[in-house]
Amino acid sequence: MLSTFDGEAHLGAQLDSLARQEGVDWRLLVRDDGSSDGTPALLDGFAAAHPGRVRRLPGGERLGALPSFTALLRAAEGGDAYAFMDQDDVWLPGKLARAARLLSEGREAVCGRLRLVDSGLNPLGFSAVPSVPPRFASLLAHNVAAGCTMAMSPRGRDMALAAPPPPGTMHDWWCALLVTGQGGRLLFDEEPCMLYRLHGANQVGGAASLPSRALRALRGGRPDGLRLLRSHLRGLEGVVLSPEAGEAAAKLRRMAEVGPAERLRLRREAGFRHHAALGDALLTLWLLVAPP
C-alpha cells in the first residue's frame, strides 16, 4: 500500500526494491496524492513493466498522508499480508518475506527497526530499539510502529479498520493502537530490513542522533501532548477493547480528572510509559506539570 506525493526524486529506487523482493508474490496498491511532478509517469511505467501486479486507486486530489493511507487500507483486499510503503525508502530483498514469516507465527502485526541513510543512501546508523516491548498502553504514550516497516495479517487489517482515525494521529500509530487494543499481537523486529532515507523533507523522520531523539521526545512531552492522548482515547470509545486494554484506557481517561500524584499512580498501573528511558523521564515530568 503506497501513497505518493511529488516523489519523483526517490520513487524509482523504492519501486525497484519492491520488484526485487524475494520469496513473495507481491502486489502493489497505490494512490497518488495530487503530485505535480513526474511521479504519475513513474507509476505508469512501473505498472507497464509488471502487468497485473499494480492497481491504482482513482482520484489524485490532495488529501494528506493519513487519509490517503487510510483509503489504501480500506481498498486493500485478498492478500495474505498487508504492508505500508513510503515513496522514498529502499527495501532490502527479504523484507516482505521476513514480515510474512513473522506474521505466520500467529501475530497480527509486525514493525521494526530502521537502517538510517542520507539522501544518497550513505549509512547514518540505526533507529532505536524500544526498551520494552510495545503494548497498547505504552503505544498510547509513544509510537514505535513506523508505517514503512509495518505489515499486518488479514485479521490485523480488519482490526486496524475498526474505527476511523481521530484528529492528530498518523496511520501507523492508529493501526498499532487498534491492533493491540483489541488483543492483537504486535512484534517489534530488531532486524532492520530497509533503508530509511533522511533527506530533510520526511513527513515523519527517524532521528539519527541521541540529541535529536531527545529533542523530539521533549516536544512530544509538552503538556499539549495530553490532547493527543485524549484524542486517541475518544477515537477508541466505540471499539471493543480487550479486558487489559479496556482497563488501561479507563485509568488513562481518569488522569484528566485528578492531580499529579494520582496521575503517576494511574500511569504506573496502566503501563503508560515511553519506550526509551529519556522519553519516560520526560513523560513523568509532563504528567506532573500538565494542567487537568
Side-chain angles (χ1 to χ4, degrees):
M1 298 172 289
L2 168 65
S3 177
T4 59
F5 176 69
D6 286 352
E8 180 180 14
H10 304 302
L11 178 60
Q14 174 64 304
L15 293 174
D16 287 346
S17 74
L18 172 61
R20 291 195 298 269
Q21 290 299 297
E22 300 170 348
V24 292
D25 182 18
W26 59 266
R27 297 290 185 273
L28 176 64
L29 178 64
V30 60
R31 181 189 179 278
D32 186 67
D33 200 34
S35 294
S36 58
D37 65 356
T39 295
L42 281 173
L43 294 173
D44 289 341
F46 187 74
H50 302 277
R53 287 192 158 198
V54 180
R55 179 162 71 96
R56 296 270 294 272
L57 291 190
E61 69 276 16
R62 181 78 171 126
L63 299 178
L66 174 60
S68 190
F69 274 112
T70 301
L72 286 162
L73 186 63
R74 290 196 188 105
E77 57 185 4
D80 297 318
Y82 300 87
F84 292 118
M85 170 185 275
D86 287 353
Q87 65 184 10
D88 43 10
D89 303 324
V90 173
W91 286 2
L92 301 182
K95 180 188 185 296
L96 289 180
R98 182 175 177 87
R101 178 178 63 79
L102 294 173
L103 290 171
S104 73
E105 295 171 354
R107 302 177 178 97
E108 282 70 37
V110 297
C111 59
R113 200 176 188 192
L114 302 164
R115 183 176 295 180
L116 306 174
V117 297
D118 65 15
S119 60
L121 301 182
N122 300 300
L124 296 174
F126 298 90
S127 63
V129 174
S131 60
V132 294
R135 299 290 184 266
F136 173 72
S138 63
L139 286 164
L140 278 168
H142 170 229
N143 183 38
V144 294
C148 54
T149 70
M150 198 171 187
M152 291 173 283
S153 69
R155 182 167 183 263
R157 172 186 169 270
D158 290 344
M159 289 176 162
L161 291 171
T169 192
M170 286 298 294
H171 65 284
D172 47 9
W173 199 349
W174 188 235
C175 288
L177 287 172
L178 285 172
V179 169
T180 57
Q182 295 172 88
R185 290 146 293 186
L186 169 66
L187 172 73
F188 185 93
D189 183 14
E190 297 185 15
E191 177 66 31
C193 292
M194 59 170 289
L195 309 182
Y196 184 90
R197 200 191 302 256
L198 292 169
H199 49 69
N202 308 77
Q203 178 150 359
V204 178
S209 67
L210 179 59
S212 298
R213 293 199 300 270
L215 179 59
R216 290 177 58 198
L218 182 59
R219 288 172 176 163
R222 294 180 305 186
D224 62 1
L226 188 58
R227 287 198 287 270
L228 183 53
L229 171 62
R230 290 170 177 164
S231 181
H232 280 147
L233 291 173
R234 282 194 298 270
L236 291 163
E237 286 176 355
V239 179
V240 180
L241 299 176
S242 69
E244 179 183 355
E247 182 178 352
K251 291 181 186 298
L252 295 176
R253 289 188 178 101
R254 285 181 54 201
M255 287 201 310
E257 306 167 357
V258 299
E262 182 68 2
R263 283 182 203 160
L264 294 183
R265 183 185 68 81
L266 291 170
R267 169 259 182 103
R268 183 176 62 256
E269 292 180 356
F272 182 66
R273 60 158 300 164
H274 198 281
H275 295 97
L278 174 60
D280 206 48
L282 292 167
L283 179 60
T284 301
L285 177 62
W286 167 50
L287 291 172
L288 287 171
V289 303

